[in-house]
Amino acid sequence: AQSVAQPEDQVNVAEGNPLTVKCTYSVSGNPYLFWYVQYPNRGLQFLLKYITGDNLVKGSYGFEAEFNKSQTSFHLKKPSALVSDSALYFCAVRDLTGGFKTIFGAGTRLFVKA
Amino acid sequence: NAGVTQTPKFRVLKTGQSMTLLCAQDMNHEYMYWYRQDPGMGLRLIHYSVGEGTTAKGEVPDGYNVSRLKKQNFLLGLESAAPSQTSVYFCATTQGALEQYFGPGTRLTVT
């Protein structure tokens, strides 16, 4: 069965410092991996995805993620955090069988302190 | 171009009442999904549809029904609401295996 784990409920970082939000996955076959962000009282917004190709994927708002097949990880990163990055982040994997269902991690809350 | 919209935004129900949540999309996507979001549990799939006239059960379908009579609309029904269905409900659409587009959510409280 496909699954996604986000080992940290919360990540705290100072503004201007680099940030990392961790994600590991378990899939059969090649993974389709995604990161989404949710701001308060809003729906989820797509940040970036890995389908194939370069292991370093760049996305919206200066975020990037590194796909590591051997460690089955897809960590979200940003070189310099902003207070406005404070939000709830979800890692997700796409089930490519019947219906293209998406399995979401439990989410990691990011706090960026000024 | 509204994307994905949800109606209503908020609703309070008494136990045993019924209601329907409407999701509408103008992106011509084939796939539509209903999720519920509860604290610490991420998003859980309730039902989904791979095209007009088709529906299928997700991870937590009990107590909910859905219909996809038109490609652009996906309805989620609660026939007899229970306090355990207090949640935030999100609709999402996609075209194939790519990223999903989410609506703004419906906050439902069942007392």
Side-chain angles (χ1 to χ4, degrees), chain A residues 32 34 36 38 41-46 49 51 88 90 94 96 98-102 104-107, chain B residues 31 33 35 37 40-43 45 48 50 57-58 90 94 96-100 102-105 107:
Chain A
Y32 280 40
F34 301 81
Y36 292 86
Q38 185 180 32
N41 301 313
R42 303 285 294 273
L44 278 69
Q45 297 177 32
F46 167 73
K49 63 178 180 277
I51 305 295
L88 187 56
F90 290 97
R94 207 91 160 107
L96 300 183
F100 293 121
K101 298 187 291 292
T102 298
F104 289 88
Chain B
Y31 298 83
Y33 307 82
Y35 296 94
Q37 183 179 25
M41 302 188 73
L43 274 76
L45 182 64
Y48 65 100
V50 301
K57 294 180 180 179
F90 289 101
T94 190
L98 301 179
E99 61 270 21
Q100 293 186 312
F102 285 80
R107 188 173 295 274

Side-chain angles (χ1 to χ4, degrees), chain A:
Chain A
Q2 322 231 46
S3 65
V4 174
Q6 294 181 243
E8 301 155 317
D9 291 336
Q10 183 170 311
V11 170
N12 298 309
V13 64
E15 188 173 34
N17 283 1
L19 71 86
T20 298
V21 183
K22 296 179 180 178
C23 172
T24 59
Y25 65 89
S26 174
V27 301
S28 53
N30 293 323
Y32 280 40
L33 297 162
F34 301 81
W35 276 102
Y36 292 86
V37 61
Q38 185 180 32
Y39 298 102
N41 301 313
R42 303 285 294 273
L44 278 69
Q45 297 177 32
F46 167 73
L47 272 181
L48 51 79
K49 63 178 180 277
Y50 173 83
I51 305 295
T52 186
D54 194 349
N55 288 345
L56 185 63
V57 178
K58 294 189 183 298
S60 306
Y61 312 122
F63 283 93
E64 56 190 28
E66 187 170 11
F67 170 67
N68 187 317
K69 188 172 183 177
S70 62
Q71 297 185 2
T72 62
S73 66
F74 188 55
H75 300 333
L76 182 69
K77 300 181 179 184
K78 188 174 183 181
S80 179
L82 299 172
V83 172
S84 57
D85 292 330
S86 298
L88 187 56
Y89 291 81
F90 290 97
C91 182
V93 62
R94 207 91 160 107
D95 181 349
L96 300 183
T97 62
F100 293 121
K101 298 187 291 292
T102 298
I103 295 93
F104 289 88
T108 298
R109 191 165 297 280
L110 174 66
F111 286 103
V112 181
K113 186 176 180 181

Side-chain angles (χ1 to χ4, degrees), chain B:
Chain B
N1 202 355
V4 183
T5 59
Q6 291 183 233
T7 310
K9 289 184 169 51
F10 304 94
R11 186 72 185 269
V12 178
L13 289 179
K14 295 186 187 303
T15 297
Q17 287 185 319
S18 64
M19 77 165 294
T20 300
L21 284 69
L22 170 64
C23 176
Q25 55 112 349
D26 61 4
M27 294 181 288
N28 203 34
H29 285 171
E30 290 292 337
Y31 298 83
M32 297 187 75
Y33 307 82
W34 275 108
Y35 296 94
R36 59 179 289 172
Q37 183 179 25
D38 301 292
M41 302 188 73
L43 274 76
R44 293 183 291 170
L45 182 64
I46 305 171
H47 286 281
Y48 65 100
S49 169
V50 301
E52 181 179 319
T54 73
T55 62
K57 294 180 180 179
E59 181 185 356
V60 288
D62 294 343
Y64 305 95
N65 56 74
V66 288
S67 65
R68 183 104 180 263
L69 299 180
K70 295 182 179 181
K71 185 178 183 178
Q72 63 267 35
N73 295 338
F74 194 30
L75 279 66
L76 177 70
L78 287 74
E79 290 185 349
S80 179
S84 60
Q85 294 178 304
T86 293
S87 188
V88 181
Y89 292 85
F90 289 101
C91 174
T93 73
T94 190
Q95 191 64 21
L98 301 179
E99 61 270 21
Q100 293 186 312
Y101 294 83
F102 285 80
T106 295
R107 188 173 295 274
L108 174 66
T109 301
V110 183
T111 61

